[in-house]
Amino acid sequence: MLRAALPLLGLPLAGAGAAETPTQEPRAPGEPPPGLALFRWQWHEVEAPYLVALWILVASLAKIVFHLSRKVTSLVPESCLLILLGLVLGGIVLAVAKKAEYQLEPGTFFLFLLPPIVLDSGYFMPSRLFFDNLGAILTYAVVGTLWNAFTTGTALWGLQQAGLVAPRVQAGLLDFLLFGSLISAVDPVAVLAVFEEVHVNETLFIIVFGESLLNDAVTVVLYKVCNSFVEMGSANVQVTDYLKGVAYLTAEMTSLSAILAVTMCGLGCKKYVEANISHKSRTAVKYTMKTLASCAETVIFMLLGISAVDSSKWAWDSGLVLGTLFFILFFRALGVVLQTWVLNQFRLVPLDKIDQVVMSYGGLRGAVAFALVILLDRTKVPAKDYFVATTIVVVFFTVIVQGLTIKPLVKWLKVKRSEHHKPTLNQELHEHTFDHILAAVEDVVGHHGYHYWRDRWEQFDKKYLSQLLMRRSAYRIRDQIWDVYYRLNIRDAISFVDQGGHVLSSTGLTLPSMPSRNSVAETSVTNLLRESGSGACLDLQVIDTVRSGRDREDAVMHHLLCGGLYKPRRRYKASCSRHFISEDAQERQDKEVFQQNMKRRLESFKSTKHNICITKSKLRPRKAGHRKKDGVANTETTNGKPPRDLGFQDTAAVVLTVESEEESDSSETEKEDDEGIIFVARATGEVLQEGKVSGSLEVCPSPRIIPPSPTCAEKELPWKSGQGDLAVYVSSETTKIVPVDMQTGWNQSISSLESLASPPCTQAPAITHLPPYPLVAEEPQTPLHQSYDTCSSFTFPPSLAKAGRSRSESSADIPQQQELQPLMGHEDPSHLSLGAAKPRWHIQFNRSGQL
Amino acid sequence: MGSRSSHAAIIPDVDNIRRETGFSQASLVRLHHRFQALDRNKKGYLSRMDLQQIGALAVNPLGDRIIDSFFPDGSQRLDFPGFVRVLAHFRPVEDEDPGIRDPKAPEPLNSRMNKLRFAFQLYDQDRDGKISRHEMLQVLRLMVGVQVTEEQLESIADRTVQEADEDGDGAVSFLEFTKSLEKMNIEQKMSIRILK
């Protein structure tokens, strides 16, 4: 709120500065200004924008202050606080200026303040819910408003006839009807402000809120009709005029009011606009709307408070005020009960009594009524001052008293609250199924009901509207189920990162977005073992390897950085393409976002199948120090940068270079280079082997440093080809071991995305190679190196590798295999790229330190 | 439409049907009308063809499966009681006191469980009591349409199965199916108002 206000404030200030210079210039050439004209009061030039900015600033400050105290805001709705603040400010202004200023002008209100709010609410309206309840909403909005207007107006007139209203109030039946029509409208701003904090169930909310949005149309039209009658004077109104009035009413209603139009615009925009703009723009649109609406709402309530202070517009009549208060409450309740009774005959889910109470009580009046009453012409409506006073009281009463009490009331009545649960794919899918089933059953029954028409509409939308209004690429990915899937992925990724990567905690493995399972223990170990059967090896000892807190921190930090950092090369590429809006820009954007998320996810879901070969190559869990080392070593870049000295390479480092000779791969190296820094790490624990500990590390050094030297191992290690390029260093503690069948899902989803852009790459045979020198150049950047023990040695007997390979095919048979995860594995084909004629290198260090 | 009572009289075995399905007399009469309208050759039963000729049903992605569910056990004839029995799944649930009902009486067709079972068997095409990944994929393919690639579909199917799968057998059993929907108001979502 404040952030939004500041630039606005800056605007008039800058304007003030700019305005000053030109006015001073013309004087300079002529006679010099008398005295000191350096400073001049340029108030009038900047008045309007300055005031606007000032109001917004005050409102923002007020909001911030309100929210400093959580206790107050939890009890008192913000709208009440703002109105009270407005009263205080108005009092101050009145005391200083001796006249009331800065009031709520109807023009300002209808043209500038109301539209953002209505657009915002239309845009964020849950459209499905809205249309599901459209019948009820329309009934309440149209019939209810007409009912309220006529009954209230007539009852007030009756009150006057009965002599309970002072005779000073000169008003006839028409005047009262006019007043009734303007006072009967439930105000969307007030309702929204209160109900947003109350959290009643969605159906109730949408009915009250939808009604308040739509009934403005009815109110304004009714108001216009009554107003024209009043201006004609009651004596001149003929019977035919009433008929004309009805015709006018109908015409106006069908041509829709501006408020209704804006609501519908917001509703319609949502689907098609969102699909066509990028994710960032979507966020921008969302927040812009929210900010504007919030500003407007704040200003409206404050101005309401200020306007009330102006006693010159007031004329108090207790009978009128009390009568109005009573009648609007009474007739609203009566109307709701009657309409609900009728509606319940047709509703699948009847509205119960508690709902009706909340609906009656939630009929808050607000700024719309106030603006309309200010618009009245005093010469035509002699009782205007009384009406103004009554309206102000009514608005204040409903907003403050009802606003304050509705929360306790809802609590006391135990109204069903809205429950927030995360969407799951299952729910989304089944909901669609249900829709289709119901539509089909309606077909069979031969009843063209709601489901039938919705089905029709959806087909029409799919066939024509969406194709017409959405970009091709947007249309392609625009499916609700896919959407949920996508969002779930992103959320999982986010929560994964939020947890600092510790997904495999003692509580076991859970996907954050999955519904919680009954027993945690069940999920964790036994289940995993059962589920995986063969693929994943779970060894608790490995996972629980005691590590110092610092190690863990380092690992997590590294992990976060790996996941979070933007790859420099790629970014360059992206910025390039920004200038050429290529056809698939959006596609790539989406892909990139998705990829990043998937990468993060994949750090936790390591697919076993790709790594099984590593296991054979005797990758073992390292000690803490080694692990850190790996992290460091992994930061070597792929591109031309000499790898850093690892410090241990003299003794034991074994580097396995993998050369991919395939021509098919060649084109992809460039792509790989585009990836910039690539972190590769495989940490695999193989526990069974007499507790040996070995570490493996794969990096992709620059090709020019290491000459290709194919070895016999090449044939044994086909899996090498895809590994080095993408892997991210992950300490085993951050590793999640996931059953194969789960991983396949991830792999597929990635590859499905990737495959859009790049062809799958064939696996290249691996070559082991030992480059002693590329490692020399490493900067001694961390003390961790020192801790690395130098006892590592090359362990890569071909026989083992062979065995490993065979294992990979029948991994199920090897229960003890400890597995290290392919972080990103080669399921990301776009990364599996080899430059033309450029050999690709993988270095692997296998150390069997404790052999 | 004629007088209701006379129509109700032509429905064979009307009382039993009413007891079983819980439909009101008026609904039964209306459904019988519809049944006769669908039965083009006045043969007294419905064939698959009769249902397939409902225009909108042909466009419905699940249309075929829903027609299949009207013909249990591979039968080719659908008589009126069978017709009504299937539709009774979609009767709105009334909030009657469960204590009043005879506990020995079978669960009414429109109970939550039966509604869910109806939906479940639309997925479970091979009737093995489980929605396999393959079956999930088939449904998704029907519903999602062409915009999403096959691989994406597969990943969605995988994820969907994983999400609901609790015992790790890679398939969704009926129990798991109900659990995944336990937060949803099935009674409301699987009911059609006119089928009182």
Side-chain angles (χ1 to χ4, degrees), chain A residues 273-540:
Chain A
V273 167
E274 276 202 350
N276 284 337
I277 57 182
S278 75
H279 198 74
K280 276 181 190 158
S281 325
R282 211 175 297 167
T283 316
V285 168
K286 205 162 101 183
Y287 282 101
T288 314
M289 278 203 192
K290 280 277 171 225
T291 312
L292 279 180
S294 177
C295 286
E297 186 188 290
T298 313
V299 171
I300 286 177
F301 281 120
M302 252 174 40
L303 289 182
L304 258 184
I306 292 173
S307 312
V309 177
D310 183 9
S311 55
S312 66
K313 288 182 182 169
W314 279 60
W316 180 269
D317 182 81
S318 310
L320 184 65
V321 168
L322 292 178
T324 312
L325 265 184
F326 172 75
F327 286 135
I328 59 163
L329 289 176
F330 175 73
F331 285 118
R332 163 114 188 141
L334 191 64
V336 164
V337 169
L338 289 178
Q339 290 171 79
T340 311
W341 184 79
V342 176
L343 278 173
N344 276 348
Q345 309 297 310
F346 302 100
R347 276 182 72 86
L348 184 61
V349 192
L351 296 161
D352 57 18
K353 290 208 174 59
I354 291 175
D355 289 342
Q356 293 174 33
V357 171
V358 175
M359 278 166 61
S360 327
Y361 203 68
L364 306 183
R365 269 59 164 185
V368 172
F370 183 77
L372 287 177
V373 83
I374 293 289
L375 274 180
L376 287 178
D377 184 355
R378 195 190 304 259
T379 55
K380 300 282 167 49
V381 187
K384 181 188 172 186
D385 288 352
Y386 295 99
F387 288 158
V388 170
T390 314
T391 309
I392 287 174
V393 171
V394 166
V395 168
F396 278 35
F397 178 82
T398 52
V399 171
I400 294 179
V401 177
Q402 285 179 249
L404 270 175
T405 48
I406 196 159
K407 218 172 192 178
L409 182 79
V410 163
K411 231 176 251 168
W412 182 64
L413 287 175
K414 297 193 184 69
V415 177
K416 261 187 288 169
R417 299 300 191 89
S418 66
E419 6 178 279
H420 274 287
H421 41 80
K422 303 168 182 170
T424 63
L425 265 179
N426 275 285
Q427 283 185 8
E428 187 68 23
L429 173 66
H430 301 325
E431 214 159 322
H432 278 79
T433 316
F434 295 155
D435 286 347
H436 287 307
I437 292 175
L438 288 189
V441 171
E442 282 200 351
D443 290 336
V444 171
V445 178
H447 169 81
H448 289 184
Y450 171 68
H451 299 285
Y452 172 82
W453 289 112
R454 205 195 48 233
D455 205 51
R456 287 269 112 142
W457 163 256
E458 267 171 18
Q459 275 168 19
F460 172 75
D461 176 64
K462 219 177 203 166
K463 254 190 193 154
Y464 305 106
L465 268 187
S466 294
Q467 307 236 1
L468 198 70
L469 292 174
M470 289 187 196
R471 280 189 302 131
R472 192 114 205 97
S473 55
Y475 173 66
R476 198 173 49 75
I477 54 164
R478 192 76 195 162
D479 184 272
Q480 277 160 311
I481 297 177
W482 171 252
D483 219 44
V484 171
Y485 176 66
Y486 184 83
R487 269 186 286 135
L488 279 178
N489 278 349
I490 289 179
R491 210 186 42 226
D492 282 355
I494 290 172
S495 61
F496 174 71
V497 172
D498 283 349
Q499 293 166 22
H502 288 273
V503 176
L504 187 60
S505 57
S506 54
T507 53
L509 159 73
T510 44
L511 281 184
S513 66
M514 286 189 185
S516 57
R517 300 283 157 79
N518 345 359
S519 86
V520 178
E522 168 81 4
T523 335
S524 58
V525 184
T526 47
N527 217 7
L528 267 178
L529 281 176
R530 188 155 29 109
E531 278 178 1
S532 56
S534 54
C537 272
L538 189 65
D539 182 70
L540 288 177

Side-chain angles (χ1 to χ4, degrees), chain A residues 346 430 433 476 513 748, chain B residues 34 123 147 158-159 193:
Chain A
F346 302 100
H430 301 325
T433 316
R476 198 173 49 75
S513 66
Q748 279 158 0
Chain B
R34 179 66 181 166
Y123 290 88
Q147 309 104 300
D158 282 334
R159 167 102 198 207
R193 192 184 49 79

Side-chain angles (χ1 to χ4, degrees), chain A residues 128 419 421-435, chain B residues 112 115-116 119 123 177-190:
Chain A
R128 170 80 196 255
E419 6 178 279
H421 41 80
K422 303 168 182 170
T424 63
L425 265 179
N426 275 285
Q427 283 185 8
E428 187 68 23
L429 173 66
H430 301 325
E431 214 159 322
H432 278 79
T433 316
F434 295 155
D435 286 347
Chain B
R112 178 190 174 94
K115 283 176 195 290
L116 282 173
Y123 290 88
F177 181 76
T178 52
K179 262 197 181 154
S180 71
L181 290 174
E182 64 190 353
K183 284 188 187 132
M184 207 187 266
N185 191 349
I186 305 297
E187 290 88 341
Q188 182 184 335
K189 289 231 154 87
M190 285 282 278

